[in-house]
Every structure is written in C-alpha cells, then in structure tokens.
Amino acid sequence: MKSFEYVVKDEVGIHARPAGILVKEAKKYESKITISKDGKSAEATKLMAVMSLGVKCGQTVEVTVEGADEDTAVEEIKAFFEQNL
Amino acid sequence: MWKLSGKAVYKGIVMGPVAVLKKDGQQVKRIKITDAEAELARLQKAGEKAQSQLQKLYDKAVKEVGEASAAIFEVHQMMLEDEDYLDAIHNMIRTEMVNAEYAAAVTGDNFSEMFAGMDDDYMKARAADVLDISNRLVRNLMGQEEIDFASMEPSVIVADDLSPSETVQMDKEKILAFVTVHGSTNSHTAILARMMNIPALIGVPVNLDEIQTGMKAVVNGFKGEVIFEPSEELCQEAERQICEEKEKLQLLQSLKGKENRTLDGHTIHIFANIGSVSDVGYVLENDAGGIGLFRSEFLYLGRDDFPSEEEQFTAYKQVVQTMAGKKVIIRTLDIGADKKVDYFNLGNEDNPAMGYRAIRICLKQPDIFKTQLRALLRAAVFGNLSIMYPMITSVEEVRKIYGIVEEVKKELEAAGIPYKTPEQGIMIETPASVMISDELAELVDFFSIGTNDLTQYTLAIDRQNEKLDDFYNPHHKAILRMIEMVTQNAHKAGKWAGICGELGADPELTETFVRMGIDELSVAPSMILKLRKTVREMRVAEE
C-alpha cells in the first residue's frame, strides 16, 4: 500500500468537475484508490462519494493506493492532484 | 387546423413549432413489479438515452458558451454513472420489487438530501444536479419528452401560466411567442414579452393535452389569435405578414441615433424600463437615451436572505458604467403587494396593494433601506445615477427619507468611503401624491408617474384580478388629468416630470403626453424606437 498527503489548493475544493476528472483517472488503475479526510473516506472511482467528503481549499486529504499497479498509480495520481487540485 | 383567441399583450406575428410546458411533472407512482431483470433493462435504456441527451447538451454548450460552462453536463453524465447511485437504484428494484421510476426518484431524493445537508454552499447547490439527473431518468423511463431549451429550436411556448422563475430559466433566444391559459396583462409573462419584443397571448382557452410539442402554430398578436396546424394557405399568409413586419422593424432601426424631436422642434427623453442587469443589453440595442426605471427588486427576489451592500453596489455600478454617462434612475425596493419575498416576513394582508410595501417597509425598517442607499450612493460615483422612491403619499415621508440619506452620507464620510449625492426623485403613483404634487415638487428633483399603480388606486381596480380587465380603462380621463396636473406642478417648481408606467408606452397617447409637456417617457426597450417614430412625425402645435 502506498499513500501520500495533499493540501487542496483549488479555491472551491474538490468540486464537481475535478472530482469527475479524478474519477475518470482513478478508473484507469487496477489498484483501489481511497481518499480520506477527517476519518471519512471515499473510493476515488465514486463521484458522489468523493464530492460528499466536502473537501475545501486548504484542507488536507490522505490518498491511499493499494493493488498490483500501486507503484505507477501513486505517482500518477499524485501528479494529477498537483495539476488539478 | 384550429384557431383560438386570447388577449394580446404584445402585437407581432410569428410562426414556428410549439413547445408545451406542463406543470408539476406527473407524479411518480410506486408500482409492484414481478420481473426485476426487465425493470433493470428499462433503467439501463433510460440511462443510455440520458447519456446521449447530455452529450448533445454538452456539445452544444461548448460551442455556445464555452467549455467551462458546459462542464456541468459532463458532470451530470458522470453522476449518472456513479456506482453508489446506480447500486442504490438497482438494490431497491431487486429487494423491494418496485418500478424503476420510483426507485430512481427515491434514490435521487436521498442523494440530493445528502448534498443539501453539507455545510458548504457549493456542495449544497449540487443537490439540484442530483435531482436533475434523477428527473431525467424518470422522464426517460416514462417516455416523456422534456423541454430542453439548449437543443430546442425557437418555439412558441404554450403553458398554463408561467412563473417568474420559469421565465427566467428560459433561453430567450429560443422563444418565439408565449401562449398562456391564465395570466393578466400585467403578469410576468406579459412584461417579459414586451421586454423581448415577442407576441404573447394570454387567456387563451387551450387544452394542453390536445397540443403536442413540435406541432406548428401561428401566433398573431394583431388579431389576438393562435392557429394550431395552420393550412398551407394560412402559412403563406402568415409568412407574408412576417416579412412586412420585418420591413417595418428595419425602418424603425433606421431611427437609431436620431433625436426624439417633433416636426416643430420640441424634444423629449425616451428612456427604458428594466428589471435586471442583463436587460441593459436591450436598452443599448434599442438606443434608449437612458434608464428611466431600474426596478431594484431583482436583487431581492428569488433568494433566502437580503442582498449585501457589496452585491448591490456591484450591480448598480455595472449598470451605470455600462450606460456610460447616460441617466440611470434606480427605484429603491418595491417589495410587497404582488411581489412577495419570504425572508422579509411580511405576513399575510387582506389588502396587500394598500398594505405594507415599498417605501413603507423602508421607513419602518431603516436598516434594509440604509444598505440599499449606501450601495446607491457609492455607485453614483461611477456614472449618472439617480434614485427614485416609490409609493410616496406625503411630504413628511420625503423629509424622513432625506433624513436617512443624510445619516448614510455621514456614515460613509466617517468611514472614508467615496460617494456622491445623486438626484433624488419620487414616483407619483398614489392619488395623494398627485394632489400635493405642488408641495412635493419643491422638495424633489423629479417626478416619475407610475401609471399602473396610479390607475389601480384611482379607479379602485386590482390589476392582478383577471375579471376586472374589462373595467380597467387606462385612458380614463381622471388619469390623464392627473398626469397633466403633475406635469404642470413639476414645471412650476422648475423640475421635470416623466411617465414610467405602461401608459407611457401607449402609442395612442404619445402625442397627448408630448403636448401636455411631459419631459420623459420611460418604456419597455422594445417600444423606444416606435415612440421615437411617433414623436418625429408629430407637431406640438395643433394644426
């Protein structure tokens, strides 16, 4: 299992559109990708669950990646967060 | 082919397909099913259809409004594929053996409640998106066609009646005409039709179940009739008339940039009435000399709390800046009577037209008033802004208003915020204000006669009551004499007087008003060039 922490910089937080792109991205990997905030967590492939975390600008999320392709997945997902959120 | 008559609120003629707007989408019923797999297959099909509808919306929106604004349709597509959402619907169908419509509607409600309960305004607003996709699924399952403004061709909207929120949502480019069963000549539909320059018929006894979206119709505002599925002959006749109207319109367009000057050299101002910042486009398009009535209510309607000073300031500033030095007369809030806003907690009144409304609210609750005044005084720095107070009945009221304005000025001064004291005028819309217009004229900078309310109060006729439309004679001598008296009293004090009610736009009275010495007519933007034409063809001195 790999994981990283990320502070969201987008001023509206993980809102609908980036959440949607994140879901698309997450579906590319075999690994299970989970996003957690304040004890709540959501699978990154589930749009409404990710949105319902209500992640706002400046908040920290923990992203965990677990599965066969976790090594590449964690790097690419991390890059995705940095570019989009 | 069949023909129905109604009352025309805007004259004009169009031909095009019908779009029927039915209220309260059919109730979703809970039905027991026996074959869950068949139900899931139906759901699957409805989902696929929804995806392709959304794709079309997305493509169109990208072209028209750009990718950022189109993204919402992409989000809808993704929401429709959401595993949790679909699992919830599937489970419900399987375990409760209920129809897909019911399962989709209930699941949509549950998910939307989840978003509505979040402590984040952006996420709260997503509740509407979840409901939207669920409604789309339900509509597809029921085989209903939606009115989808984005991909609709310009149509004749046929409806029972239209609420302000419905008309606001409509894409104005897509509306050829309105045909409604209910509504009075002062209804929102009527006001919108005049604003947009499109024919509208109200009080048309049309059976919405007999009309189908896509059917052809001719709406003739001159005759006050609508013809569904017209014959070939009638279509040709209509086309010929439409061409003629277009030519007339072009002729009017040639009057742009010209003065509102009579043949014998007398000029008047022709200004525009508007109700929102976006209407400024119509004002410029129709070459208005200014804005004679900017109804500030739009800032207060359709929301849960008072608009902030900043929000108001931004809106007013935008308008005065866009009008670049031309006069912009903003009327302070005119809530109450037929314009209800929940958060004002106005309570029910037996006689709201004569009730707690407009300036009366402002004087009783000066905090609300002061916020608006601060925003207005600050915006005045950026252009030619005037303030107009509605529903005045006495000199004392004006003095009280001035007292509050002075307080506001002191507060702004103390805070070092730049402001300007604008011209201040009043609406003359009560018989009382007409009778004391000589005294009022000494106090204020201008009068603007609100003929709708003035007529209602003078003739004792409720303008929202459709039954009274026959008794409502806007040309009543009493009203015309009042207008003349007000104008004379204004001039005696060296002030100007205008008309901003519907009567000001009545081409039959334009000559009368100009001869009375009215200085300004403020009308729906679509009427400006027509009045200019009348003015340019008349003489003040009677021959």
Side-chain angles (χ1 to χ4, degrees), chain A residues 12 14-17 19-21 23-24 27 40 43 45-56, chain B residues 58 67-68 71 74-75 78-79 81-85 87 111 114-115 118-120 122-123 126 130 133:
Chain A
V12 256
I14 304 187
H15 59 287
R17 184 134 192 261
I21 308 172
V23 168
K24 263 193 196 167
K27 281 184 178 169
K40 278 203 296 180
E43 264 185 66
T45 50
K46 295 180 174 176
L47 177 65
M48 295 207 226
V50 171
M51 285 168 67
S52 71
L53 290 175
V55 181
K56 292 177 197 168
Chain B
Y58 176 78
E67 211 186 331
E74 202 180 19
V75 171
M78 290 178 190
M79 283 181 158
E81 285 172 353
D82 185 75
E83 286 176 34
D84 291 333
Y85 174 74
D87 282 352
F111 274 76
M114 171 185 86
F115 282 113
M118 286 171 72
D119 67 341
D120 174 328
Y122 172 81
M123 286 300 170
R126 303 284 72 74
V130 183
I133 60 160

Side-chain angles (χ1 to χ4, degrees), chain B residues 441-513:
Chain B
E442 301 290 337
L443 273 177
V444 302
D445 295 315
F446 63 91
F447 286 152
S448 188
I449 306 171
T451 50
N452 300 16
D453 272 332
L454 185 60
T455 310
Q456 138 164 302
Y457 294 135
T458 306
L459 304 184
I461 281 178
D462 177 359
R463 46 189 262 229
Q464 303 297 319
N465 189 338
E466 292 166 41
K467 280 186 216 156
L468 300 177
D469 272 0
D470 288 344
F471 295 91
Y472 187 89
N473 171 16
H475 292 195
H476 198 293
K477 246 185 222 166
I479 308 299
L480 297 176
R481 284 187 193 171
M482 282 175 153
I483 295 172
E484 188 159 32
M485 177 176 169
V486 169
T487 311
Q488 285 170 355
N489 281 333
H491 290 173
K492 269 182 220 156
K495 310 293 166 67
W496 64 265
I499 298 177
C500 65
E502 297 293 344
L503 206 54
D506 189 334
E508 288 172 33
L509 292 173
T510 309
E511 294 193 18
T512 312
F513 291 147

Side-chain angles (χ1 to χ4, degrees), chain B residues 100-338:
Chain B
E101 286 90 337
Y102 182 75
V106 171
T107 306
D109 284 347
N110 290 342
F111 274 76
S112 109
E113 269 169 33
M114 171 185 86
F115 282 113
M118 286 171 72
D119 67 341
D120 174 328
D121 287 341
Y122 172 81
M123 286 300 170
K124 273 187 182 148
R126 303 284 72 74
D129 292 316
V130 183
L131 281 183
D132 210 1
I133 60 160
S134 300
N135 288 339
R136 186 177 290 283
L137 273 183
V138 171
R139 271 198 308 269
N140 288 345
L141 282 163
M142 291 177 132
Q144 287 173 359
E145 290 301 321
E146 63 171 335
I147 291 201
D148 160 1
F149 280 96
S151 57
M152 178 177 105
E153 50 181 322
S155 301
V156 172
I157 309 288
V158 182
D160 194 42
D161 195 5
L162 294 164
S163 69
S165 64
E166 281 167 323
T167 48
V168 161
Q169 280 172 17
M170 290 180 186
D171 179 348
K172 294 176 187 169
E173 304 273 303
K174 302 291 171 63
I175 309 172
L176 288 178
F178 291 117
V179 174
T180 64
V181 181
H182 297 286
S184 72
T185 44
N186 284 302
S187 65
H188 296 279
T189 313
I191 290 169
L192 186 69
R194 282 189 284 257
M195 177 72 75
M196 292 170 50
N197 229 336
I198 59 169
L201 294 183
I202 57 171
V204 181
V206 48
N207 179 349
L208 295 185
D209 292 329
E210 283 174 11
I211 311 285
Q212 271 142 32
T213 292
M215 224 177 226
K216 202 173 185 182
V218 172
V219 181
N220 187 332
F222 299 102
K223 289 188 188 163
E225 64 184 26
V226 51
I227 301 160
F228 293 102
E229 304 208 285
S231 64
E232 192 53 38
E233 203 187 325
L234 262 162
C235 285
Q236 282 171 5
E237 165 75 15
E239 256 163 39
R240 198 181 50 72
Q241 268 184 290
I242 291 168
C243 271
E244 272 178 23
E245 282 306 304
K246 263 200 192 132
E247 277 167 29
K248 276 191 206 160
L249 207 69
Q250 271 162 4
L251 218 70
L252 285 178
Q253 296 296 317
S254 70
L255 291 175
K256 279 193 187 175
K258 302 251 167 81
E259 277 186 284
N260 309 309
R261 183 191 291 271
T262 63
L263 292 170
D264 48 0
H266 181 82
T267 57
I268 70 158
H269 293 295
I270 304 181
F271 291 169
N273 293 345
I274 62 166
S276 77
V277 177
S278 60
D279 293 340
V280 175
Y282 296 113
V283 176
L284 299 171
E285 206 178 291
N286 290 289
D287 196 32
I291 294 171
L293 167 63
F294 184 10
R295 305 179 182 95
S296 62
E297 293 82 69
F298 79 95
L299 287 163
Y300 296 83
L301 298 170
R303 53 188 298 151
D304 306 321
D305 201 1
F306 294 99
S308 69
E309 179 184 324
E310 280 312 307
E311 201 177 320
Q312 296 194 48
F313 167 66
T314 310
Y316 304 146
K317 180 179 149 193
Q318 200 185 338
V319 174
V320 294
Q321 280 183 329
T322 314
M323 292 302 291
K326 288 183 177 171
K327 197 182 269 297
V328 176
I329 303 177
I330 300 176
R331 179 177 70 190
T332 58
L333 79 94
D334 192 9
I335 297 290
D338 56 322

Side-chain angles (χ1 to χ4, degrees), chain B residues 417-429:
Chain B
I417 300 169
Y419 73 91
K420 213 177 124 187
T421 311
E423 274 196 8
Q424 296 172 77
I426 57 170
M427 295 270 295
I428 297 287
E429 52 188 337

